[in-house]
Amino acid sequence: MFKKILIANRGEIALRVIHTCREMGIKTVAVYSDADKKAAHVISSDEAVYLGPSEPSLSYLNMDAVIAAAKKTRADAIHPGYGFLSENHEFARRCRDEDLVFIGPAPGVIKNLGDKITSRNIMIGGGVPVIPGLSRSEPDMAVLKEAAKKIGYPILVKATAGGGGKGIRIVHGPEEMEQAVTEASSEAFNAFGNREVYIEKFFTRARHIEFQILADQYGHTIHLYERECSIQRRHQKIIEETPSLALTPELREEMGNAAVKAAKSAHYENAGTVEFLLDEENRFYFLEINTRLQVEHPVTEITTGVDLVRLQIEIAAGRELSLRQSDIRPRGHAIECRIYAEDPEKDFFPSPGTIRFMKEPDGPGIRIDSGIYQGFEVPVDYDPILSKLIVHAGTRDEAVGKMIKALQDYIILGVKTPVELMTDILNSEPFRTGQVFTDFITTHFSDWKPDRDLADMAMIAFLAHSRGNIEKRGRTSSEPGKTVSPWDTLGNWKL
Amino acid sequence: MFKKILIANRGEIALRVIHTCREMGIKTVAVYSDADKKAAHVISSDEAVYLGPSEPSLSYLNMDAVIAAAKKTRADAIHPGYGFLSENHEFARRCRDEDLVFIGPAPGVIKNLGDKITSRNIMIGGGVPVIPGLSRSEPDMAVLKEAAKKIGYPILVKATAGGGGKGIRIVHGPEEMEQAVTEASSEAFNAFGNREVYIEKFFTRARHIEFQILADQYGHTIHLYERECSIQRRHQKIIEETPSLALTPELREEMGNAAVKAAKSAHYENAGTVEFLLDEENRFYFLEINTRLQVEHPVTEITTGVDLVRLQIEIAAGRELSLRQSDIRPRGHAIECRIYAEDPEKDFFPSPGTIRFMKEPDGPGIRIDSGIYQGFEVPVDYDPILSKLIVHAGTRDEAVGKMIKALQDYIILGVKTPVELMTDILNSEPFRTGQVFTDFITTHFSDWKPDRDLADMAMIAFLAHSRGNIEKRGRTSSEPGKTVSPWDTLGNWKL
Amino acid sequence: MEYNLMVNQEKKCINAVISDQHIQVQTENALHDAGFVNISDHQVLLTVDGKIFNAFVSHHGNTKTVAIQGRSYEIRDADLIEETSSGKKSVLNAATIVASPMPAVVTGILVKTGDRVEKGRGLVIVSAMKMETTLFAPFDGTISGINAKPGDKVMPTQILVDIEKD
Amino acid sequence: MEYNLMVNQEKKCINAVISDQHIQVQTENALHDAGFVNISDHQVLLTVDGKIFNAFVSHHGNTKTVAIQGRSYEIRDADLIEETSSGKKSVLNAATIVASPMPAVVTGILVKTGDRVEKGRGLVIVSAMKMETTLFAPFDGTISGINAKPGDKVMPTQILVDIEKD
């Protein structure tokens, strides 16, 4: 087993990996940028190496610096977390060349699955259903329109490289095709240096359902059931759960088998996620494989009782997967809420700042994967995720009740968070009845405002707090017994 | 279902009940004494009623005050937690008379099981193995000695009433019998107003293994497997786990069946715990039934996925238990450490005081049931339990690794806690190999001192902290730029 | 005593009598009688008719954020605000200035001093937490000053571009 | 600079040079070079040869409790202690006074003023957190004063019974 692992990441996911490493007796090396000198992942590691300035390209994305840090600290392996270098096949290859174990699949696998057309063709070859579309880049507009006609509008024009919602256009009829292709192609070139686009069917109302998979070096591949991730804002998931209400036991088995087939077709190794679209007729289509640990992996861990990071590390160290498909028996219902530093009243604008006060919920069935602490300055330079709140209960209703309570007890002051919005989502009729599609937020919560019916109590608390703090200052003043009058310091009160 | 429940308790167990009530949409009423005006259970409830002075008999044990509080707030039911009035049959009866649902078994059942001879005879009648002994109070010394001879020394002389280690003497030979009976009888009379004592075999090296049971009003009784509670100090458990390494699958099934039989023989209803002694030859004997929620119930919840408090409430509300024995399938391994305010270096002396700083561990597989917060003054008037740290992992080794990490991350400053001792216990060879008996602490950790090998780092931190705080005062001083010299304030440094 | 409080941009005039552990408040439509205990610097426990309201409070400048039952309120003393802000360069009218909506890093300046701009023209690109936002000209005019350069960290109160209105 | 620190009753004499983010310490048997960052009022991050030591600190009076890797240390400036304690009634020699070992409530007084007591005689019963403890006479003598009564909350520094030694 590895003696020391460098974690090429920051925030809650770096801490998540540190937790398991420490439990396994493996030393950890954190890396950090200028903005993260006091970050939680640095504080919690055994060693920490400075990478460079806050700008990601100069620190967390700087392969030379990361590899040098691993060499310097004599780490055996690198865990990439998610984001940053986690799906960079060049980085995976460089690790291998430098005799460092990259905790993830082989570089060639990452490369193939990172290219949308290549991965699509692998899936077709493996008999996994893909979205109706063209499995090649097609420069001839006439051929493209002919294909689109066959597939049926609306059509999605999609860059073969990259992601993050860039190089994507929705086309409602042939007259829009040419402009859409030009724009998507140009955007893709600017973002990824690759002009190639292809087309596939666009589903206006779909669910995003993904399957966790695990595969070792010896050909054992299993799935750990699904995660329902349809609730998204700006194409990014914010609430995930398992099991999905949309799946019947038969469909679940079918999709699970397809996920295993997908992983095997790609010669996948380590933990990964097979993403599917599920349309309104309950037909599912392969979307992509994420070749890394997923943000929402905790809902799978908490229902299956499996530590995915431990298994990632064991698989990377060459251990055989001892779990068989029949060992995986999910129990109960789990929900995750992602706590971002953002303002849901202002279009989810980022809200960096200092965590002035923080109080986490506790008690049975609650898990928090956090990357912050009271006093931490959330930097503007990185993804706004602060923490994840995960609950586990016997049934979905119980899990919803638990999550609402936990959200109400999760106090983060100093930055805006979507905690109040999430409470309202969980309380809402469409969520309660499982009517969750990728357009959930825009359909039901686009003009959301919090219900501020306790304003009177808030004002009383405001006054009480001012009074209390004055009292306190009074008590610690040099003259015992003398208390500063509230009216001296509490603003311009009128008599 | 109940609309409002009064929780006749304080600390972590009151909060535990509040958690589930809130998840179920049931309002909660807290009660409190003078010492607990700012206690965590008060802060977290929907309503709170003052009971009286800090002295337990005037507040938490004051039946009139508790029942009046329930009446005043129109609570439907009372959850007694553990300790205080939880096993008081008179209180249970008064609740019933006042038309309040007592969440626990019927008054008569509590009464029978609270008397050691009565419960012993119920078990004998039900075919549950009891400790070899005399099932009656026997005033004739000759008869007593004759019985003792048959049973075999050492012998335990035990008061029929009460508990808490009072009215108990160990007798090694007939010559010690008379004095032991006199002393135990007198001590029992002083403590419980009842002179009756009886004798049973004493096991020098035994395990304390208990089974969680659940029984509804309709005759369904199931068990939720065992808890191994052998690690004790001053006859009080401090570390519990499940499953027990001592049980084979056959023995587990046999004991589980015996637990169900015990509960049925006593006409038990609601959640309870059947305690057994397991001797070195793996023979088990009924000890007693605790007619309430147990401190260590979380290890059962976390491995079985069952919310015991929810089921307590549902059973008390007249719901049928939908779980069957075959539904209970424990998963993985769980350990609980009780965090007391006490000093393990000074014979576990209580250590009340103010929580000056607190930081809880978080991450996967960790649960904390806590009754404190930073700034809380832990009163001298009550049980020293502050919180419970529970971990859950796939195997015992993984759970031990997780618990050690979690203990290291659990920072409580201001009062002494056994956290360091527990880390050493979990790291110790006898614990690792499962050699846990009720004499564990006295045998292996009676002269325990913490290993203080990081004193140099601690001194550096001391100096850095002083420096840092001076810097800070400097920065907020009225003259910007001017920093107070550390030497002005940091004691009498010599140059 | 009368208090003018700003609660999430809304002015509330209330009457309150405050003692050591007790507050009586008359709002526009209700009379409240509350007991209070300060649990910590950041936590106040209110009791109104036996009901518990647990409030978490943090303050930055004159504004306090008060969170109760998972809802948060921004509250300041309206009188105090008017006085202290009168001496400063005010940025209250957000529709007429060029400022980032959040703390951010400037990633691009699209104009230079002297440029004529029309309302809606992109002036500055800022980025925060992987999200890019373009700041537009709020009216027609001429750029009279640029107060930031790429790489600068800027706050919502900072005016990034001065425009002389036509 | 030389520092005399009391670390859990043990006197340690060390030499340290402290700058903004750096401390060099020479102890009896080692030289340490540590970077430090104050994370909060209660947390200091130390870096020694790239290794992280995360210290949590609280202070009450002149003593700081420092917790590192789950171990805690009580540290005070020995020089400072000697000076400030010199003016007070000292309770350092615990073997010769009658005081509760922990904050507690007095539940019984077993003697009265004027009583002759022998060493080992029970004088006072105190109770804390459901645990009762009897305090015994540390030597033979006569009770000259009783400074507590049942129900009193007492601290470990409080002398509960005065005994005139034979």
Side-chain angles (χ1 to χ4, degrees), chain B residues 349 380 382 420 424 454 456 465-467 472 493-494, chain D residues 3-4 20 32 41 64 70-73 101 129:
Chain B
F349 259 18
V380 300
Y382 312 111
E420 294 180 60
D424 288 352
L454 289 172
D456 284 8
H465 181 259
S466 307
R467 168 76 177 212
K472 212 169 154 192
W493 309 132
K494 287 172 203 140
Chain D
Y3 298 82
N4 289 309
D20 264 13
H32 301 286
D41 289 355
K64 290 188 182 180
R71 305 284 175 198
S72 66
Y73 302 82
M129 298 177 146

PDB file of all heavy atoms in Angstrom, chain B residues 349 380 382 420 424 454 456 465-467 472 493-494, chain D residues 3-4 20 32 41 64 70-73 101 129:
ATOM      1  N   PHE B 349     -12.048  11.734  37.774  1.00  0.00           N
ATOM      2  CA  PHE B 349     -12.754  12.765  38.527  1.00  0.00           C
ATOM      3  C   PHE B 349     -13.530  13.666  37.572  1.00  0.00           C
ATOM      4  O   PHE B 349     -13.031  14.015  36.502  1.00  0.00           O
ATOM      5  CB  PHE B 349     -11.735  13.628  39.273  1.00  0.00           C
ATOM      6  CG  PHE B 349     -11.633  13.273  40.718  1.00  0.00           C
ATOM      7  CD1 PHE B 349     -12.097  12.064  41.195  1.00  0.00           C
ATOM      8  CD2 PHE B 349     -11.060  14.162  41.620  1.00  0.00           C
ATOM      9  CE1 PHE B 349     -11.995  11.736  42.532  1.00  0.00           C
ATOM     10  CE2 PHE B 349     -10.948  13.844  42.957  1.00  0.00           C
ATOM     11  CZ  PHE B 349     -11.416  12.623  43.418  1.00  0.00           C
ATOM     12  N   VAL B 380     -22.084  21.412  37.323  1.00  0.00           N
ATOM     13  CA  VAL B 380     -21.607  20.364  38.237  1.00  0.00           C
ATOM     14  C   VAL B 380     -22.744  19.464  38.689  1.00  0.00           C
ATOM     15  O   VAL B 380     -22.502  18.472  39.353  1.00  0.00           O
ATOM     16  CB  VAL B 380     -20.959  20.955  39.523  1.00  0.00           C
ATOM     17  CG1 VAL B 380     -19.779  21.833  39.186  1.00  0.00           C
ATOM     18  CG2 VAL B 380     -21.970  21.708  40.362  1.00  0.00           C
ATOM     19  N   TYR B 382     -25.060  17.606  37.134  1.00  0.00           N
ATOM     20  CA  TYR B 382     -25.590  16.445  36.423  1.00  0.00           C
ATOM     21  C   TYR B 382     -24.479  15.524  35.941  1.00  0.00           C
ATOM     22  O   TYR B 382     -23.309  15.805  36.083  1.00  0.00           O
ATOM     23  CB  TYR B 382     -26.476  16.916  35.256  1.00  0.00           C
ATOM     24  CG  TYR B 382     -27.452  17.977  35.678  1.00  0.00           C
ATOM     25  CD1 TYR B 382     -27.327  19.286  35.228  1.00  0.00           C
ATOM     26  CD2 TYR B 382     -28.455  17.686  36.611  1.00  0.00           C
ATOM     27  CE1 TYR B 382     -28.196  20.275  35.663  1.00  0.00           C
ATOM     28  CE2 TYR B 382     -29.321  18.671  37.049  1.00  0.00           C
ATOM     29  CZ  TYR B 382     -29.200  19.967  36.576  1.00  0.00           C
ATOM     30  OH  TYR B 382     -30.043  20.932  37.013  1.00  0.00           O
ATOM     31  N   GLU B 420      -7.978  11.506  24.874  1.00  0.00           N
ATOM     32  CA  GLU B 420      -6.628  10.971  24.661  1.00  0.00           C
ATOM     33  C   GLU B 420      -6.528   9.520  25.137  1.00  0.00           C
ATOM     34  O   GLU B 420      -5.931   8.679  24.475  1.00  0.00           O
ATOM     35  CB  GLU B 420      -5.602  11.822  25.421  1.00  0.00           C
ATOM     36  CG  GLU B 420      -5.491  13.228  24.891  1.00  0.00           C
ATOM     37  CD  GLU B 420      -4.471  14.045  25.675  1.00  0.00           C
ATOM     38  OE1 GLU B 420      -3.301  13.681  25.725  1.00  0.00           O
ATOM     39  OE2 GLU B 420      -4.894  15.070  26.245  1.00  0.00           O
ATOM     40  N   ASP B 424      -5.672   5.950  22.958  1.00  0.00           N
ATOM     41  CA  ASP B 424      -4.713   4.918  23.355  1.00  0.00           C
ATOM     42  C   ASP B 424      -5.377   3.553  23.528  1.00  0.00           C
ATOM     43  O   ASP B 424      -4.800   2.523  23.197  1.00  0.00           O
ATOM     44  CB  ASP B 424      -4.002   5.333  24.649  1.00  0.00           C
ATOM     45  CG  ASP B 424      -3.017   6.470  24.406  1.00  0.00           C
ATOM     46  OD1 ASP B 424      -2.796   6.818  23.226  1.00  0.00           O
ATOM     47  OD2 ASP B 424      -2.466   7.016  25.381  1.00  0.00           O
ATOM     48  N   LEU B 454       4.987  15.609  21.973  1.00  0.00           N
ATOM     49  CA  LEU B 454       5.001  16.783  21.107  1.00  0.00           C
ATOM     50  C   LEU B 454       5.108  18.069  21.919  1.00  0.00           C
ATOM     51  O   LEU B 454       4.659  19.131  21.486  1.00  0.00           O
ATOM     52  CB  LEU B 454       3.747  16.801  20.227  1.00  0.00           C
ATOM     53  CG  LEU B 454       3.712  15.733  19.129  1.00  0.00           C
ATOM     54  CD1 LEU B 454       2.349  15.715  18.455  1.00  0.00           C
ATOM     55  CD2 LEU B 454       4.795  15.989  18.087  1.00  0.00           C
ATOM     56  N   ASP B 456       7.589  19.960  22.466  1.00  0.00           N
ATOM     57  CA  ASP B 456       8.321  21.028  21.767  1.00  0.00           C
ATOM     58  C   ASP B 456       7.395  21.803  20.832  1.00  0.00           C
ATOM     59  O   ASP B 456       7.389  23.042  20.822  1.00  0.00           O
ATOM     60  CB  ASP B 456       9.484  20.434  20.952  1.00  0.00           C
ATOM     61  CG  ASP B 456      10.666  20.046  21.836  1.00  0.00           C
ATOM     62  OD1 ASP B 456      10.520  20.093  23.079  1.00  0.00           O
ATOM     63  OD2 ASP B 456      11.725  19.693  21.282  1.00  0.00           O
ATOM     64  N   HIS B 465       1.086  31.564  19.211  1.00  0.00           N
ATOM     65  CA  HIS B 465      -0.252  32.038  19.540  1.00  0.00           C
ATOM     66  C   HIS B 465      -0.182  33.382  20.265  1.00  0.00           C
ATOM     67  O   HIS B 465      -0.952  34.298  19.978  1.00  0.00           O
ATOM     68  CB  HIS B 465      -0.968  30.996  20.400  1.00  0.00           C
ATOM     69  CG  HIS B 465      -2.365  31.373  20.772  1.00  0.00           C
ATOM     70  ND1 HIS B 465      -2.697  31.877  22.004  1.00  0.00           N
ATOM     71  CD2 HIS B 465      -3.505  31.344  20.052  1.00  0.00           C
ATOM     72  CE1 HIS B 465      -3.998  32.125  22.032  1.00  0.00           C
ATOM     73  NE2 HIS B 465      -4.511  31.804  20.860  1.00  0.00           N
ATOM     74  N   SER B 466       0.754  33.505  21.193  1.00  0.00           N
ATOM     75  CA  SER B 466       0.913  34.772  21.912  1.00  0.00           C
ATOM     76  C   SER B 466       1.277  35.875  20.929  1.00  0.00           C
ATOM     77  O   SER B 466       0.670  36.940  20.914  1.00  0.00           O
ATOM     78  CB  SER B 466       2.013  34.639  22.961  1.00  0.00           C
ATOM     79  OG  SER B 466       1.763  33.538  23.793  1.00  0.00           O
ATOM     80  N   ARG B 467       2.244  35.589  20.080  1.00  0.00           N
ATOM     81  CA  ARG B 467       2.674  36.539  19.075  1.00  0.00           C
ATOM     82  C   ARG B 467       1.517  36.942  18.169  1.00  0.00           C
ATOM     83  O   ARG B 467       1.273  38.117  17.920  1.00  0.00           O
ATOM     84  CB  ARG B 467       3.799  35.911  18.253  1.00  0.00           C
ATOM     85  CG  ARG B 467       4.173  36.654  16.997  1.00  0.00           C
ATOM     86  CD  ARG B 467       4.985  37.890  17.335  1.00  0.00           C
ATOM     87  NE  ARG B 467       5.414  38.561  16.124  1.00  0.00           N
ATOM     88  CZ  ARG B 467       6.550  39.223  16.027  1.00  0.00           C
ATOM     89  NH1 ARG B 467       7.379  39.300  17.048  1.00  0.00           N
ATOM     90  NH2 ARG B 467       6.866  39.830  14.910  1.00  0.00           N
ATOM     91  N   LYS B 472      -2.590  40.913  16.361  1.00  0.00           N
ATOM     92  CA  LYS B 472      -3.970  41.237  16.099  1.00  0.00           C
ATOM     93  C   LYS B 472      -4.409  42.461  16.900  1.00  0.00           C
ATOM     94  O   LYS B 472      -5.031  43.370  16.382  1.00  0.00           O
ATOM     95  CB  LYS B 472      -4.825  40.041  16.494  1.00  0.00           C
ATOM     96  CG  LYS B 472      -6.031  39.908  15.637  1.00  0.00           C
ATOM     97  CD  LYS B 472      -6.686  38.603  15.884  1.00  0.00           C
ATOM     98  CE  LYS B 472      -8.140  38.734  15.536  1.00  0.00           C
ATOM     99  NZ  LYS B 472      -8.901  37.609  15.990  1.00  0.00           N
ATOM    100  N   TRP B 493      10.057  38.197  29.770  1.00  0.00           N
ATOM    101  CA  TRP B 493      11.101  37.546  28.982  1.00  0.00           C
ATOM    102  C   TRP B 493      12.462  38.116  29.374  1.00  0.00           C
ATOM    103  O   TRP B 493      12.601  39.306  29.592  1.00  0.00           O
ATOM    104  CB  TRP B 493      10.865  37.716  27.490  1.00  0.00           C
ATOM    105  CG  TRP B 493       9.498  37.345  27.056  1.00  0.00           C
ATOM    106  CD1 TRP B 493       8.673  38.069  26.267  1.00  0.00           C
ATOM    107  CD2 TRP B 493       8.790  36.168  27.384  1.00  0.00           C
ATOM    108  NE1 TRP B 493       7.499  37.410  26.070  1.00  0.00           N
ATOM    109  CE2 TRP B 493       7.525  36.239  26.758  1.00  0.00           C
ATOM    110  CE3 TRP B 493       9.066  35.027  28.157  1.00  0.00           C
ATOM    111  CZ2 TRP B 493       6.572  35.242  26.858  1.00  0.00           C
ATOM    112  CZ3 TRP B 493       8.106  34.037  28.251  1.00  0.00           C
ATOM    113  CH2 TRP B 493       6.883  34.154  27.615  1.00  0.00           C
ATOM    114  N   LYS B 494      13.405  37.217  29.416  1.00  0.00           N
ATOM    115  CA  LYS B 494      14.774  37.663  29.741  1.00  0.00           C
ATOM    116  C   LYS B 494      15.592  37.757  28.483  1.00  0.00           C
ATOM    117  O   LYS B 494      15.538  36.875  27.635  1.00  0.00           O
ATOM    118  CB  LYS B 494      15.427  36.637  30.676  1.00  0.00           C
ATOM    119  CG  LYS B 494      14.879  36.694  32.080  1.00  0.00           C
ATOM    120  CD  LYS B 494      15.426  35.544  32.890  1.00  0.00           C
ATOM    121  CE  LYS B 494      14.511  35.237  34.055  1.00  0.00           C
ATOM    122  NZ  LYS B 494      14.377  33.802  34.264  1.00  0.00           N
TER     123      LYS B 494
ATOM    124  N   TYR D   3      13.162  31.746  27.350  1.00  0.00           N
ATOM    125  CA  TYR D   3      11.822  31.640  27.933  1.00  0.00           C
ATOM    126  C   TYR D   3      11.808  30.494  28.935  1.00  0.00           C
ATOM    127  O   TYR D   3      12.344  29.425  28.662  1.00  0.00           O
ATOM    128  CB  TYR D   3      10.769  31.332  26.855  1.00  0.00           C
ATOM    129  CG  TYR D   3      10.639  32.385  25.801  1.00  0.00           C
ATOM    130  CD1 TYR D   3      11.526  32.425  24.738  1.00  0.00           C
ATOM    131  CD2 TYR D   3       9.632  33.336  25.861  1.00  0.00           C
ATOM    132  CE1 TYR D   3      11.414  33.388  23.752  1.00  0.00           C
ATOM    133  CE2 TYR D   3       9.506  34.306  24.890  1.00  0.00           C
ATOM    134  CZ  TYR D   3      10.403  34.331  23.827  1.00  0.00           C
ATOM    135  OH  TYR D   3      10.281  35.283  22.862  1.00  0.00           O
ATOM    136  N   ASN D   4      11.184  30.739  30.066  1.00  0.00           N
ATOM    137  CA  ASN D   4      10.968  29.656  31.020  1.00  0.00           C
ATOM    138  C   ASN D   4       9.488  29.298  30.996  1.00  0.00           C
ATOM    139  O   ASN D   4       8.649  30.087  31.402  1.00  0.00           O
ATOM    140  CB  ASN D   4      11.362  30.107  32.418  1.00  0.00           C
ATOM    141  CG  ASN D   4      12.860  30.234  32.541  1.00  0.00           C
ATOM    142  OD1 ASN D   4      13.592  29.310  32.203  1.00  0.00           O
ATOM    143  ND2 ASN D   4      13.317  31.394  32.977  1.00  0.00           N
ATOM    144  N   ASP D  20       7.615  37.472  12.283  1.00  0.00           N
ATOM    145  CA  ASP D  20       6.211  37.528  11.886  1.00  0.00           C
ATOM    146  C   ASP D  20       5.557  36.167  11.647  1.00  0.00           C
ATOM    147  O   ASP D  20       4.419  35.936  12.047  1.00  0.00           O
ATOM    148  CB  ASP D  20       6.076  38.344  10.600  1.00  0.00           C
ATOM    149  CG  ASP D  20       5.711  39.762  10.912  1.00  0.00           C
ATOM    150  OD1 ASP D  20       5.817  40.135  12.099  1.00  0.00           O
ATOM    151  OD2 ASP D  20       5.333  40.488   9.987  1.00  0.00           O
ATOM    152  N   HIS D  32      14.492  23.612  16.497  1.00  0.00           N
ATOM    153  CA  HIS D  32      13.350  23.573  15.584  1.00  0.00           C
ATOM    154  C   HIS D  32      13.231  24.887  14.824  1.00  0.00           C
ATOM    155  O   HIS D  32      13.453  25.956  15.384  1.00  0.00           O
ATOM    156  CB  HIS D  32      12.037  23.366  16.347  1.00  0.00           C
ATOM    157  CG  HIS D  32      11.998  22.114  17.160  1.00  0.00           C
ATOM    158  ND1 HIS D  32      11.853  20.880  16.596  1.00  0.00           N
ATOM    159  CD2 HIS D  32      12.095  21.922  18.500  1.00  0.00           C
ATOM    160  CE1 HIS D  32      11.851  19.969  17.559  1.00  0.00           C
ATOM    161  NE2 HIS D  32      11.996  20.573  18.719  1.00  0.00           N
ATOM    162  N   ASP D  41      -8.324  32.802  16.525  1.00  0.00           N
ATOM    163  CA  ASP D  41      -7.920  33.065  17.903  1.00  0.00           C
ATOM    164  C   ASP D  41      -7.546  31.785  18.638  1.00  0.00           C
ATOM    165  O   ASP D  41      -6.857  31.818  19.655  1.00  0.00           O
ATOM    166  CB  ASP D  41      -9.083  33.701  18.684  1.00  0.00           C
ATOM    167  CG  ASP D  41      -9.339  35.114  18.235  1.00  0.00           C
ATOM    168  OD1 ASP D  41      -8.558  35.620  17.404  1.00  0.00           O
ATOM    169  OD2 ASP D  41     -10.329  35.700  18.689  1.00  0.00           O
ATOM    170  N   LYS D  64      -2.231  28.432  29.081  1.00  0.00           N
ATOM    171  CA  LYS D  64      -2.840  28.089  27.808  1.00  0.00           C
ATOM    172  C   LYS D  64      -2.886  26.574  27.687  1.00  0.00           C
ATOM    173  O   LYS D  64      -1.942  25.891  28.057  1.00  0.00           O
ATOM    174  CB  LYS D  64      -2.028  28.641  26.638  1.00  0.00           C
ATOM    175  CG  LYS D  64      -2.097  30.145  26.541  1.00  0.00           C
ATOM    176  CD  LYS D  64      -1.457  30.682  25.291  1.00  0.00           C
ATOM    177  CE  LYS D  64      -1.540  32.211  25.345  1.00  0.00           C
ATOM    178  NZ  LYS D  64      -0.961  32.870  24.203  1.00  0.00           N
ATOM    179  N   GLY D  70      -4.357  15.503  18.949  1.00  0.00           N
ATOM    180  CA  GLY D  70      -5.139  14.816  19.958  1.00  0.00           C
ATOM    181  C   GLY D  70      -4.525  14.779  21.341  1.00  0.00           C
ATOM    182  O   GLY D  70      -5.088  14.198  22.265  1.00  0.00           O
ATOM    183  N   ARG D  71      -3.339  15.378  21.507  1.00  0.00           N
ATOM    184  CA  ARG D  71      -2.697  15.419  22.825  1.00  0.00           C
ATOM    185  C   ARG D  71      -2.783  16.843  23.347  1.00  0.00           C
ATOM    186  O   ARG D  71      -2.597  17.784  22.583  1.00  0.00           O
ATOM    187  CB  ARG D  71      -1.209  15.053  22.718  1.00  0.00           C
ATOM    188  CG  ARG D  71      -0.926  13.727  22.067  1.00  0.00           C
ATOM    189  CD  ARG D  71      -1.230  12.615  23.007  1.00  0.00           C
ATOM    190  NE  ARG D  71      -1.076  11.308  22.383  1.00  0.00           N
ATOM    191  CZ  ARG D  71      -1.604  10.200  22.875  1.00  0.00           C
ATOM    192  NH1 ARG D  71      -2.317  10.231  23.974  1.00  0.00           N
ATOM    193  NH2 ARG D  71      -1.415   9.056  22.280  1.00  0.00           N
ATOM    194  N   SER D  72      -2.999  17.004  24.646  1.00  0.00           N
ATOM    195  CA  SER D  72      -3.063  18.384  25.112  1.00  0.00           C
ATOM    196  C   SER D  72      -2.013  18.688  26.177  1.00  0.00           C
ATOM    197  O   SER D  72      -1.603  17.814  26.939  1.00  0.00           O
ATOM    198  CB  SER D  72      -4.466  18.735  25.573  1.00  0.00           C
ATOM    199  OG  SER D  72      -4.793  17.997  26.709  1.00  0.00           O
ATOM    200  N   TYR D  73      -1.587  19.910  26.170  1.00  0.00           N
ATOM    201  CA  TYR D  73      -0.508  20.394  27.035  1.00  0.00           C
ATOM    202  C   TYR D  73      -0.986  21.650  27.743  1.00  0.00           C
ATOM    203  O   TYR D  73      -1.620  22.502  27.135  1.00  0.00           O
ATOM    204  CB  TYR D  73       0.733  20.724  26.188  1.00  0.00           C
ATOM    205  CG  TYR D  73       1.220  19.544  25.385  1.00  0.00           C
ATOM    206  CD1 TYR D  73       0.624  19.210  24.163  1.00  0.00           C
ATOM    207  CD2 TYR D  73       2.253  18.743  25.853  1.00  0.00           C
ATOM    208  CE1 TYR D  73       1.046  18.102  23.430  1.00  0.00           C
ATOM    209  CE2 TYR D  73       2.690  17.640  25.137  1.00  0.00           C
ATOM    210  CZ  TYR D  73       2.079  17.320  23.920  1.00  0.00           C
ATOM    211  OH  TYR D  73       2.506  16.235  23.216  1.00  0.00           O
ATOM    212  N   PRO D 101     -11.168  18.653  44.799  1.00  0.00           N
ATOM    213  CA  PRO D 101     -10.280  18.452  43.657  1.00  0.00           C
ATOM    214  C   PRO D 101     -10.870  18.989  42.352  1.00  0.00           C
ATOM    215  O   PRO D 101     -10.174  19.096  41.366  1.00  0.00           O
ATOM    216  CB  PRO D 101     -10.119  16.928  43.604  1.00  0.00           C
ATOM    217  CG  PRO D 101     -11.333  16.382  44.264  1.00  0.00           C
ATOM    218  CD  PRO D 101     -11.743  17.397  45.298  1.00  0.00           C
ATOM    219  N   MET D 129     -21.191  16.201  39.390  1.00  0.00           N
ATOM    220  CA  MET D 129     -21.635  15.328  38.319  1.00  0.00           C
ATOM    221  C   MET D 129     -21.952  13.918  38.805  1.00  0.00           C
ATOM    222  O   MET D 129     -21.477  12.937  38.269  1.00  0.00           O
ATOM    223  CB  MET D 129     -20.568  15.295  37.238  1.00  0.00           C
ATOM    224  CG  MET D 129     -20.368  16.683  36.657  1.00  0.00           C
ATOM    225  SD  MET D 129     -19.064  16.709  35.462  1.00  0.00           S
ATOM    226  CE  MET D 129     -19.700  17.932  34.321  1.00  0.00           C
TER     227      MET D 129
END
